[in-house]
Amino acid sequence: MDRHREVPGANRPHHQVGKGSLFPGAVATTLGLIGLRFFSRIVFSPLIASSAVTYGPFGTVLVLQSWLVGAGFVVYSGALVGCFYHEHRTGRRLKS
C-alpha cells in the first residue's frame, strides 16, 4: 500500500490573488444575496406558511430546499461574474 501518494495539483505554484480581482465577484454575490433576501420576503415567507398548512413539514422542507438552491445559484453566479470580469479586464483566461 502506497502511503505517500501525490496530491493532485500539489506541484502547481500557488498564486496570490489581489483584492481588486476579487472585488467584482464579491459585489455581484452581495447584490445577489440582497436580491434573494427581498425575493424571500415577498415569495418564500407566504409560501412557507401555505405549504406548512397544505403539506405539513414536508412542504416547509421543500420551500427551504428551494431557498438553498437559490442561494447556491447566487454564490456560484457571483464567482462566475468575477471570473468573467477578470478575463475581460486582463485578457487572460484563468486556469482551473
Side-chain angles (χ1 to χ4, degrees):
M1 188 154 100
D2 188 14
R3 291 183 5 206
H4 302 288
R5 292 187 301 176
E6 191 171 320
V7 177
N11 295 330
R12 285 196 226 158
H14 297 286
H15 298 287
Q16 293 283 331
V17 178
K19 291 179 184 176
S21 296
L22 298 175
F23 188 71
V27 169
T29 302
T30 302
L31 291 175
L33 289 173
I34 290 170
L36 182 63
R37 181 179 180 183
F38 287 120
F39 181 77
S40 297
R41 265 193 197 168
I42 295 169
V43 175
F44 283 128
S45 293
L47 194 59
I48 285 177
S50 66
S51 294
V53 169
T54 307
Y55 300 108
F58 183 70
T60 304
V61 168
L62 287 178
V63 172
L64 291 174
Q65 184 179 6
S66 299
W67 185 87
L68 288 171
V69 168
F73 177 78
V74 166
V75 170
Y76 188 76
S77 297
L80 283 178
V81 166
C83 182
F84 291 148
Y85 179 78
H86 177 76
E87 289 177 358
H88 175 71
R89 191 180 64 146
T90 63
R92 296 184 326 206
R93 292 187 58 92
L94 293 174
K95 296 177 183 176
S96 57

